């Protein structure tokens, strides 16, 4: 973490912001059916937080119950010590044994429009067969398996098959390059790679097998490659190494007993970027992870598994998909929608058409998506009947109040609680979020830590902050917490547990209002220091997006001789709006009016799009480089590298300099 980054503390600006905030209590209509409508869960957890988590763990099937709920030797936690269970049994067998074989697990839709309906009974069959395929390829308990697949049903099948035989998986998002895949395979020392000929994205086939071949050429740990046929692209199959999924499955034995796994056995690795170039292999284990993803999936989304149709529109290649497309929903016996492609194929109403056709009741997506839909216009959602929706979720980045209200109004029809869920790859499951039947919402706030979770905002010295801005920390272990960074325990301690004594430091800034609500401010390395005053990029972006002409904005701090840092705003205008110097000036004034002169951008750069990672996160580092006039670094994780070129060009051609 750079030393010049500190959270904002401008009390007057914070209070001015809170004065404008509206509150939205749960409606009586929603409360009538809600699982939780009062503070009882919080009260219970406050009495005895370990006992509380143990009671949640009892919602799962265990072969042996644990002896000790928690062993905590900071920073290393062990939950449900001595307990044994199997994740695939909990996600599949027990539901089938309970008579739910015919319940739909996934309504799957491919981007070209092909569909598959997969029941719990069918999913269990597929998983058992593929578990036997893996065993046949020599995969044993404890071996790592790499998965590089598009959003097709074979992806959850492969993950659950790994879980069934106790082989930790390492899923690499299909948008990652061959090099990124190679590095992750090598770090995990995986034996088998599961991939596909390709996947569909915005009408074209993504060449996964080509990337996989290039990766495996330099990753000698891989002994076998299993290839799913998806796009029918002509792909070379290497003799003795590559085999088709459908050929292997055709001969696979349909029964495979689940392994009895220790609660602390590794369930999966998931790589995430840190401040250095080397991605971190985040380790998640079995009992605690499943306990918290199941608990949060049920209560945060007010899941009624027998009637709800739940859709998390993330990609399984990210933690959101691991926890809230695969493990949480399946552990709860939910019916999910799973969609392969982009939201604008064949047209910009694809999501709303999916919601209408499947009767989706719960939608979980990211603010970047919501802001894109805002940019496209309300005519797309308005063309569809979305009255089935009853809960909306947001995740991945701070949601600005304007996007929150747009989501609430134009997607939720003013009737669906919006749960803004804060968590990280490292936390494994949702940590700070409303409970929709119990929490009075404030648009833009993730509200409160969930029952059993303890979060505090602290100042530079680690002292607890009661009101105002600071660093977000977690003050005690939680069941789904990362157990470490694969192969690097020291980096784990250093990254998360060294900044503040006895606290996990999340890397995020947050502020508390006088009602104890948490407002996430983004990563602290995105906090700027202007003339000795601290200004959050998120706050300035929120102010910009609040302007009727703005669709999306990203703000970075650039070095400035006089003020230390100066604010540069990259702005995408809504359709039909033209960039001009006048418009830039208007936006600078708008920010001044919303927050104060201290937050006024020095320069506004208009661009047709912002550089984003494949997961939709704005690449601020890159924008900072553009702003500083430095050479651009590695752009391989960009959704569209051309965007950067354009921004760079505009940055040198037409800044609205003062
Ligand atoms: C970072 C974690 C959690 C799954 C997807 C991202 C930011 C996440 C929120 C939220 C404000 C959020 C944080 C966090 N973030 N959710 N509701 N409000 N910020 O996982 O890639 O591990 O990123 O995303 O900055 O630290 P990730």
């Amino acid at each position: 973490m750079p030393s010049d980054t500190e959270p904002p503390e401008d009390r007057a600006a914070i209070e001015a912001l809170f004065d404008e905030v509206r509150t939205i209590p749960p409606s009586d209509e929603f409360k009538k059916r809600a699982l939780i409508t009062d503070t009882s869960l919080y009260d219970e957890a406050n009495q005895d937080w370990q006992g509380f988590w143990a009671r949640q763990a009892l919602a799962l099937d265990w072969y042996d119950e644990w002896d000790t709920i928690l062993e905590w030797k900071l920073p290393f936690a062990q939950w449900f010590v001595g307990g044994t269970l199997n994740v695939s049994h909990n996600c599949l067998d027990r539901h089938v044994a309970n008579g739910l074989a015919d319940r739909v697990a996934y309504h799957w839709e491919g981007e070209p429009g092909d569909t598959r309906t997969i029941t719990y009974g069918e999913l269990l069959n597929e998983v058992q067969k593929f578990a036997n395929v893996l065993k046949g390829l020599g995969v044993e308990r404890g071996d790592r398996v790499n998965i590089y697949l598009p959003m097709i049903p074979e992806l959850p099948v492969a993950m659950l098959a790994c879980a069934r035989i106790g082989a930790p998986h390492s899923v690499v998002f299909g948008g990652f390059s061959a090099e990124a895949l190679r590095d992750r395979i090598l770090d995990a020392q995986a034996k088998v790679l599961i991939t596909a000929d390709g996947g569909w994205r915005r009408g074209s086939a993504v060449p996964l097998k080509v990337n996989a071949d290039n990766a495996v050429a330099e990753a000698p740990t891989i002994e076998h490659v299993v290839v799913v046929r998806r796009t029918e692209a002509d792909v070379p199959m290497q003799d003795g190494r590559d085999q088709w999924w459908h050929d292997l499955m055709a001969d696979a034995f349909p029964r495979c007993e689940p392994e009895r796994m220790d609660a602390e056995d590794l369930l999966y690795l998931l790589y995430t970027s840190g401040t250095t170039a080397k991605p971190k292999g985040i380790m998640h284990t079995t009992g605690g992870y499943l306990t918290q993803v199941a608990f949060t999936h049920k209560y945060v989304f007010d899941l009624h598994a027998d009637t709800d149709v739940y859709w998390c529109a993330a990609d399984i290649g990210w933690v959101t998909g691991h926890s809230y497309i695969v493990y949480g929903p399946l552990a709860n016996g939910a019916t999910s929608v799973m969609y392969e492609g982009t939201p604008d194929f064949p047209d910009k109403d694809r999501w709303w058409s999916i919601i209408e056709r499947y009767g989706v009741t719960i939608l979980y997506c990211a603010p970047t998506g919501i802001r894109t839909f805002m940019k496209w216009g309300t005519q797309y959602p308005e063309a569809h009947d979305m009255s089935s929706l009853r809960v909306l979720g947001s995740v991945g980045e701070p949601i600005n109040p304007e996007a929150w209200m747009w989501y609430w109004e134009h997607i939720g029809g003013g009737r669906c609680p919006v749960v803004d869920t804060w968590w990280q790859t490292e936390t494994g499951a949702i940590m700070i979020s409303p409970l929709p039947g119990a929490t009075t919402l404030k648009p833009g706030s993730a509200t409160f830590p969930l029952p059993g979770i303890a979060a505090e905002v602290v100042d530079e010295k680690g002292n607890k902050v009661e009101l105002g801005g600071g660093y977000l920390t977690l003050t005690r272990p939680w069941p789904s917490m990362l157990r470490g960074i694969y192969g690097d325990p020291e980096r784990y301690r250093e990254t998360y547990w060294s900044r503040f004594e006895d606290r996990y430091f999340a890397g995020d800034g947050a502020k508390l209002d006088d009602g104890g609500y948490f407002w996430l401010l983004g990563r602290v390395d995105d906090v700027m220091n202007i003339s000795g005053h601290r200004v959050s990029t998120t706050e300035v972006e929120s102010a910009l997006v609040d302007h009727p002409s703005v669709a999306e904005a990203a703000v970075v701090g650039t070095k400035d001789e006089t003020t230390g840092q100066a604010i540069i705003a990259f702005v995408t205008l809504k359709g039909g709006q033209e960039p001009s110097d006048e418009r830039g000036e208007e936006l600078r004034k708008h920010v001044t009016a919303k927050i104060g002169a201290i937050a006024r951008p020095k320069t506004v750069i208009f661009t047709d799009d912002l550089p984003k990672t494949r997961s939709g996160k704005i690449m601020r580092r890159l924008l900072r480089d553009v702003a500083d006039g430095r050479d651009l670094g590695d752009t391989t994780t960009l959704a569209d590298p051309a965007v950067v070129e354009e921004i760079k060009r505009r940055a040198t051609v037409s800044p609205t300099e003062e």
Side-chain angles (χ1 to χ4, degrees), residues 259-273:
E259 285 284 316
R260 293 177 173 231
M261 303 305 290
D262 190 275
E264 281 298 334
D265 276 333
L266 189 61
L267 176 64
Y268 68 78
L269 296 175
L270 185 59
Y271 286 80
T272 184
S273 309

Side-chain angles (χ1 to χ4, degrees), residues 628-650:
D628 285 343
R630 283 200 300 266
D631 271 345
L632 292 174
D634 181 8
T635 61
T636 52
T637 57
L638 274 178
D640 183 5
V643 166
V644 180
E645 283 313 309
E646 198 217 18
I647 286 175
K648 208 176 161 187
R649 187 174 55 76
R650 295 206 180 194

